[in-house]
Amino acid sequence: MNPQQRAEQLFSEKFHRTFDLRVYAPGRVNIIGEHTDYNDGFVMPCAINYGTAVCGAKRDDSLFRVYAADLDEFDEFDLAKPIEPNPTHKWTGYVRGVVKFIQAQCPDFKQGADLVISGNVPLSAGLSSSASLEVAVGKFCQQLAQLPLSDTQLALIGQQAENKFVGANCGNMDQLISALGQKDHLLMIDCRSLETQPTPVPNDVAVMIVNSHVKHDLVAGEYNTRRAQCEQAAEFFGVNALRDVSVEQFEKMEEKLTALDPIVAKRARHVVSENARVLAAVEALKQGDLTKLGQLMAQSHDSMRDDFEITVPQIDYLVELAQLAVGNTGGARMTGGGFGGCIVVVAPLDKVDAVRNIIAENYEKQTGLKEDFYVCTASQGVAVC
């Protein structure tokens, strides 16, 4: 049963009435461009065929009654009163935060509702289950009260909720791709201007995701530390964000920054070089050059491992196995915020079994963890369904 069907079924069970609105927002996988979004840089994700459904109906008061199907938990809050965090359940922050920041833009929004949330994005895997939830809830509210908010605005409200209500200082990529994803396309996003450039996924190419089952929790601090280090580097270069530093400029000042703070220099080197890799990856895909894309993905992974220091041994091993299987016909790298989660592999369809088999034969034996393997399709962004 997909999340839409499950949400619909549970709505009648939990609230004993019929729903009048259902929306769905996808998770995402990032092909290249990691930790560049909050540096105003470039990213190239795609929305995937896993996501979050919200099914609900209006109430005749200002109460929001929310049932999270995957956790079997309820939350209730009043839109006519100041919205505060619920300290006992972390997931409620993503819902309450979105509603709070929608009210900041649309102060008259006090329309209550009963709703059920159901998703199938693997949690704590770096595939943006939280952004998918935020964008779905935002779209539900927008449709519920016919609010004058675009999908881009809903994405930025989701980011605000995560930054200021939940406390994870993420960039805007995850919410933007969940809101704006295009079927059968990767989307290069300029995280400063919010301009997007769709790049078709060639017909005979598979996007594979392998979940390491090393769980991560970005609110735990490492993510916010990396962000602060990037801000220090931008200050050193006298720019608003590392987006404004070219590879040549970085190399010219690298020695001086390294003498001042070697860790900050490494963080900056990753972001500056990663921005250049995203732009090169767009060109490689336009040419259908999977060998070049694979080289860029390998460089990206090495940079995340050595300069940004966000990979873990299990993830490095998965990438090594996948690269062995695809050779020079594609690429593999860690995807997501880091410290666990997933790798992404882009390769011809006829390599899927080779990648699946080499990982199945070696990963658990080496690490004691059993991977999950998904073959994804590039999907449409948030929609009423």
Side-chain angles (χ1 to χ4, degrees), residues 2 17 46 60 89 112 134 174 230 241 243 246 269 271 291 325 366:
N2 66 32
R17 60 194 187 112
C46 69
D60 53 14
H89 298 309
E134 290 152 2
D174 297 352
C230 291
R243 146 71 173 273
S246 69
R269 182 166 54 226
V271 174
T291 302
Q366 179 77 18

Side-chain angles (χ1 to χ4, degrees), residues 174-350:
D174 297 352
Q175 293 82 4
L176 284 167
I177 187 64
S178 183
L180 305 175
Q182 292 192 20
K183 189 171 163 44
D184 300 328
H185 287 74
L186 306 176
L187 206 61
M188 197 274 274
I189 303 173
D190 178 334
C191 295
R192 174 173 283 169
S193 70
L194 307 185
E195 284 172 28
T196 60
Q197 184 180 330
T199 307
V201 180
N203 286 335
D204 57 347
V205 167
V207 176
M208 296 163 261
I209 298 171
V210 188
N211 187 349
S212 70
H213 281 288
V214 177
K215 290 209 180 332
H216 66 184
D217 185 351
L218 296 183
V219 187
E222 287 288 356
Y223 189 100
N224 294 349
T225 302
R226 294 300 182 286
R227 185 162 184 161
Q229 289 163 338
C230 291
E231 285 164 4
Q232 278 175 266
E235 205 175 303
F236 169 83
F237 283 102
V239 294
N240 288 331
L242 285 175
R243 146 71 173 273
D244 300 310
V245 180
S246 69
V247 172
E248 295 72 30
Q249 286 169 314
F250 175 78
E251 285 171 351
K252 203 169 153 189
M253 300 293 285
E254 182 176 7
E255 212 173 299
K256 194 175 174 189
L257 179 54
T258 303
L260 199 65
D261 191 326
I263 300 288
V264 167
K266 286 167 74 171
R267 305 300 187 248
R269 182 166 54 226
H270 165 73
V271 174
V272 171
S273 62
E274 186 79 344
N275 274 324
R277 282 189 287 271
V278 175
L279 298 177
V282 172
E283 293 311 309
L285 268 170
K286 278 186 191 163
Q287 309 296 325
D289 187 347
L290 286 189
T291 302
K292 178 65 176 167
L293 179 68
Q295 289 166 353
L296 292 163
M297 290 175 76
Q299 290 164 15
S300 172
H301 184 80
D302 292 351
S303 180
M304 288 188 287
R305 183 191 63 214
D306 302 336
D307 284 340
F308 224 63
E309 298 180 280
I310 52 172
T311 73
V312 294
Q314 297 93 328
I315 286 282
D316 294 335
Y317 185 55
L318 278 176
V319 167
E320 195 183 309
L321 291 172
Q323 283 175 337
L324 272 175
V326 301
N328 64 0
T329 65
R333 64 174 205 103
M334 189 204 84
T335 186
F339 310 103
C342 294
I343 71 163
V344 61
V345 188
V346 180
L349 283 168
D350 62 15

Side-chain angles (χ1 to χ4, degrees), residues 58-73:
K58 284 183 179 181
R59 294 173 55 87
D60 53 14
D61 57 20
S62 55
L63 281 186
F64 241 55
R65 291 196 304 166
V66 188
Y67 176 69
D70 311 310
L71 302 168
D72 189 24
E73 289 175 2

